[in-house]
């Protein structure tokens, strides 16, 4: 903006003096916070182990290579369990997320004052807790195993799917809804013929995207006893069987890459 210099001549400046001072004060606060946080981290860090980390990493790499390829015959069932955990958890989550999304969307909720806040609370609460924490809680309640992993993935996915879906519902073209309503259609008919067809592509994309994410998350649930290939990884780590660990990591990487490729193909076909 133009300002007057000492000689009374207009001079163009990007910011006023007050704006520049506020900007520099913000940078000063940011640097101060960084310095304080770094000091706290340094006080609780054993730097000897940090500087020794490259040697330890090299030692583990030497122990882990080559992978124990003959162990792959024991990974078929665990990786199948992992795929089942991700797939069943995603399906259950979608069935539960759809009604929650319709209750949370402003243009479909039966009550913006009472019902919508409850639906939003469900979305926030299920999204705010990690799958591993859900798995730990469920293992204490229903015991270890694949079922606990499926339920943990399902609960975690409800909020994610419902949030994206209710946002898609709120962004629909209202003219189609108004046209169907003008014909005398009931509330359910308006939803079935005016809203659902518009959100089906978004729903399919959300389902595939969440399934891809759940493949990654389900690979580590076994570390806390929720079944899947993570259980084999935990067992191998406990006995320091590094060649088995490296093979399991390769299998997990292959599964994630394949799931990413499948989800990309499906999303491309949908879009």
């Amino acid at each position: 903006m133009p300002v007057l210099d000492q000689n009374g001549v207009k001079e163009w400046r990007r910011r006023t003096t007050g704006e520049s001072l506020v900007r520099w004060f913000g940078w000063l606060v940011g640097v101060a916070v960084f310095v304080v946080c770094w000091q706290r981290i340094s006080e609780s860090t054993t730097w000897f182990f940090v500087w020794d980390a490259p040697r330890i990493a090299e030692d583990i790499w030497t122990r882990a290579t080559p992978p124990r390829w003959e162990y792959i015959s024991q990974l078929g069932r665990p990786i199948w369990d992992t795929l089942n955990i991700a797939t069943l958890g995603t399906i259950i989550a979608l069935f539960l997320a759809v009604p929650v999304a319709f209750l949370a969307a402003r243009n479909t909720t039966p009550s913006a004052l009472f019902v919508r806040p409850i639906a939003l609370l469900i979305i926030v609460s299920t999204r705010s807790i990690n799958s591993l924490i859900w798995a730990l809680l469920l293992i204490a309640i229903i015991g270890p195993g694949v079922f606990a992993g499926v339920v943990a993935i399902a609960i975690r996915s409800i909020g994610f799917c419902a949030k994206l879906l209710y946002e898609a519902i709120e962004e629909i073209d209202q003219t189609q809804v108004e046209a169907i309503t003008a014909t005398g259609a009931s509330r359910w008919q308006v939803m079935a013929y005016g809203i659902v067809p518009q959100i089906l592509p978004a729903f399919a994309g959300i389902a595939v995207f969440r399934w891809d994410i759940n493949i990654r998350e389900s690979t580590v649930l076994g570390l806390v006893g929720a079944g899947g290939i993570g259980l084999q990884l935990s067992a191998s780590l406990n006995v320091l069987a590094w060649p088995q660990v490296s093979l399991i990591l390769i299998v997990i990487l292959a599964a994630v890459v394949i799931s990413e490729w499948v989800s990309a193909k499906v999303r491309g076909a949908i879009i």
Side-chain angles (χ1 to χ4, degrees):
M1 61 180 61
V3 295
L4 296 178
D5 60 10
Q6 295 178 351
N7 299 323
V9 180
K10 287 186 177 180
E11 180 183 15
W12 178 264
R13 294 182 183 177
R14 186 177 180 182
R15 301 180 183 88
T16 64
T17 303
E19 291 174 343
S20 298
L21 290 175
V22 171
R23 184 179 179 87
W24 282 108
F25 179 75
W27 277 105
L28 180 63
V29 172
V31 172
V33 170
F34 175 81
V35 171
V36 172
C37 293
W38 179 257
Q39 288 178 344
R40 294 301 180 96
I41 293 173
S42 299
E43 291 172 359
S44 58
T45 300
T46 305
W47 289 104
F48 170 77
F49 294 106
V50 176
W51 306 132
D52 196 45
R55 185 188 64 81
I56 299 298
E58 182 182 2
D59 180 63
I60 293 177
W61 173 261
T62 302
R63 295 170 183 267
T65 53
R68 185 184 172 189
W69 296 107
E70 60 273 14
Y71 186 69
I72 199 168
S73 60
Q74 302 184 38
L75 299 181
R77 180 59 182 272
I79 196 65
W80 177 249
D81 288 342
T82 297
L83 293 175
N84 285 332
I85 291 172
T87 304
L88 293 176
T90 304
I91 292 173
I92 294 172
L94 291 172
F95 273 105
L96 298 176
V98 169
V100 173
F102 276 97
L103 295 176
R106 290 186 179 89
N107 51 341
T108 57
T109 183
S111 173
L113 185 60
F114 298 104
V115 178
R116 187 170 188 268
I118 296 175
L120 292 177
L121 177 62
I122 295 173
I123 293 174
V124 172
S125 59
T126 54
R127 289 177 64 242
S128 60
I129 301 178
N130 191 271
S131 299
L132 282 175
I133 300 177
W134 281 120
L136 285 170
L137 294 174
L138 290 166
I139 286 172
I141 297 172
I142 61 179
V146 174
F147 183 67
V150 172
V151 178
I153 289 292
I155 296 176
R156 167 68 169 168
S157 302
I158 291 173
F160 178 92
C161 297
K163 178 177 174 58
L164 295 181
L165 191 58
Y166 95 73
E167 291 176 350
I169 295 172
E170 291 182 343
E171 294 172 359
I172 62 173
D173 184 6
Q174 289 294 336
T175 57
Q176 298 184 32
V177 177
E178 293 172 359
I180 296 175
T181 304
T183 63
S186 65
R187 183 182 181 89
W188 292 107
Q189 289 173 326
V190 171
M191 187 176 297
Y193 298 103
I195 299 177
V196 172
Q198 296 190 62
I199 66 171
L200 275 179
F203 175 79
I206 292 169
V208 175
F209 184 45
R210 187 62 215 187
W211 175 78
D212 182 28
I213 295 174
N214 287 341
I215 290 289
R216 308 165 195 270
E217 293 195 355
S218 60
T219 57
V220 297
L221 291 184
L223 295 175
V224 296
I229 197 168
L231 196 60
Q232 301 295 118
L233 178 61
S234 177
S236 298
L237 286 171
N238 289 336
V239 297
L240 302 180
W242 296 112
Q244 294 178 190
V245 171
S246 62
L247 178 62
I248 293 171
L249 293 178
I250 292 173
V251 172
I252 292 175
L253 176 62
V256 170
V257 170
I258 292 173
S259 69
E260 178 70 25
W261 178 79
V262 170
S263 70
K265 289 294 183 181
V266 174
R267 289 200 302 268
I270 294 171
I271 298 174

